[in-house]
Amino acid sequence: MTLDLRLLSSFLAVVEEGHFGRAAARLFLSPPAVTQHVRRLESQVGARLLDRSGSPVVPTAAGVRLAGHARTLLAAANAALDDLADVTQEADSGRPLRVGIMGHGSAELTPAAINAYRRARPEVRVEIRQLDFTEHVTALVEDRVDVAFVRPSPDDERLVADVLTTEQRIVVVHERSPLADARTSGVGVADLTDLPLFSVPGHTPHSFTEYLYFDDRAQRRSSEFAVTPQEVLTGVITGRSAGSGLRSFARYYAWPGTVFVPVLDARWESSYLAVRAGDDNPEVRIFRALTAALAKDMGPGINSRPLESG
């Protein structure tokens, strides 16, 4: 039996997101396509891999075991592609455009920009790479991606960044948190004194930690570490930590048991498209121009959408 890496990728995305729709959005596929991939994989291995009876969707015992193998196989495949990149670029003049996305990127603008580029440049392959909170400088500097949807603006002279969306700040808390009752009225930064915001590794860029902790005005830290939105939400629903983000975070990560609370007096923050300074790749310039044009049309409406909570 040969395992299809595409099927494994879809399965692992559902495991990590706990939701078929969010997994599809992460992979830029339709939900029916992701569902079909999982069904084909279950047929191949001869076992049910996901328990779909509740929310979030959780892996079965067989699914937990396969998820570990899937991570290893996909990591090995990516490592092989990276190792062969210089050779394959000589043999194939069509270098892909590698798009890095931290979390949900710039909300609805991210898939719109990627799809616009695909329509404009159908001959260029697009590779999507998920970035964790520690990578919003290193992924570009180390040439692992060509463009990156990140927040906040990287504080590094080797990079330049365009403002895409500007949104109200929110915190995400457990539904039994004392702050949960303020989901409609909102809170101030001073109200976050006892909120245990999740911790990040020491090599996380300082500009990101300032953003995360409201310029260090929210001073309490949880013992729980996180570098992805999924890890943030796991800490929230298990009552071990809280998170912060932009308003659109609520639309993409409305997990059961979580509540999203506006922080009324916090400075509004932006998401950015970052690229290497002086990059002369014409595809980067095209992608950057298309994204900037879409941001002018879509950006103002993104923060006006309702703040949804699970």
Side-chain angles (χ1 to χ4, degrees):
M1 178 178 66
T2 301
L3 291 176
D4 188 326
L5 294 180
R6 294 176 306 163
L7 307 187
L8 289 174
S9 180
S10 291
F11 161 69
L12 190 58
V14 176
V15 171
E16 293 178 346
E17 296 290 345
H19 190 277
F20 277 87
R22 287 194 295 269
R26 166 173 155 179
L27 298 171
F28 297 97
L29 296 172
S30 68
V34 172
T35 299
Q36 183 62 26
H37 285 177
V38 172
R39 286 175 177 167
R40 285 170 56 191
L41 187 60
E42 289 178 325
S43 178
Q44 282 187 12
V45 302
R48 190 165 64 93
L49 300 173
L50 296 171
D51 181 354
R52 302 164 172 82
S53 62
S55 180
V57 175
V58 295
T60 62
V64 170
R65 184 172 297 183
L66 182 60
H69 293 300
R71 289 189 181 92
T72 301
L73 289 169
L74 292 169
N78 288 332
L81 290 174
D82 289 342
D83 184 54
L84 293 171
D86 56 343
V87 178
T88 57
Q89 284 172 17
E90 292 177 3
D92 179 8
S93 59
R95 172 179 171 170
L97 183 74
R98 300 162 300 169
V99 181
I101 305 173
M102 180 193 289
H104 68 295
S106 296
E108 291 81 2
L109 179 60
T110 298
I114 292 170
N115 289 332
Y117 176 81
R118 281 175 167 155
R119 289 191 297 270
R121 303 289 290 164
E123 68 276 17
V124 179
R125 289 184 295 118
V126 176
E127 294 182 357
I128 308 298
R129 302 195 177 185
Q130 291 293 320
L131 306 180
D132 67 37
F133 300 154
T134 71
E135 296 179 293
H136 96 307
V137 169
T138 56
L140 282 162
V141 169
E142 296 173 1
D143 195 25
R144 288 184 277 115
V145 299
D146 299 303
V147 298
F149 290 90
V150 299
R151 70 185 66 84
S153 179
D155 183 16
D156 193 300
E157 63 183 9
R158 294 169 293 181
L159 307 178
V160 294
D162 302 322
V163 175
L164 298 181
T165 63
T166 302
E167 302 183 53
Q168 184 181 44
R169 295 297 305 281
I170 57 95
V171 289
V172 52
V173 299
H174 191 278
E175 61 186 359
R176 292 194 296 274
S177 165
L179 295 186
D181 290 341
R183 69 177 75 193
T184 56
S185 59
V187 296
V189 175
D191 298 316
L192 308 183
T193 303
D194 295 323
L195 194 65
L197 292 173
F198 67 90
S199 297
V200 291
H203 61 281
T204 304
H206 183 63
S207 58
F208 185 82
T209 61
E210 285 189 330
Y211 154 81
L212 178 65
Y213 302 130
F214 299 90
D215 299 320
D216 285 330
R217 293 160 66 198
Q219 297 182 354
R220 186 178 174 193
R221 305 288 179 266
S222 169
S223 60
E224 196 79 4
F225 279 77
V227 295
T228 68
Q230 293 75 28
E231 290 175 346
V232 172
L233 292 162
T234 298
V236 172
I237 63 175
T238 55
R240 297 195 298 269
S241 63
S244 74
L246 301 180
R247 184 182 177 92
S248 56
F249 187 93
R251 297 198 297 277
Y252 283 78
Y253 297 106
W255 283 24
T258 61
V259 172
F260 300 89
V261 182
V263 183
L264 303 178
D265 60 347
R267 182 179 68 245
W268 285 33
E269 295 281 359
S270 300
S271 67
Y272 296 80
L273 182 71
V275 302
R276 285 180 290 276
D279 192 335
D280 60 0
N281 181 347
E283 301 306 326
V284 170
R285 293 199 298 269
I286 292 170
F287 188 93
R288 189 178 176 186
L290 285 170
T291 304
L294 283 168
K296 290 181 179 178
D297 289 335
M298 298 180 62
I302 284 179
N303 197 60
S304 66
R305 295 178 181 238
L307 180 63
E308 299 174 4
S309 59

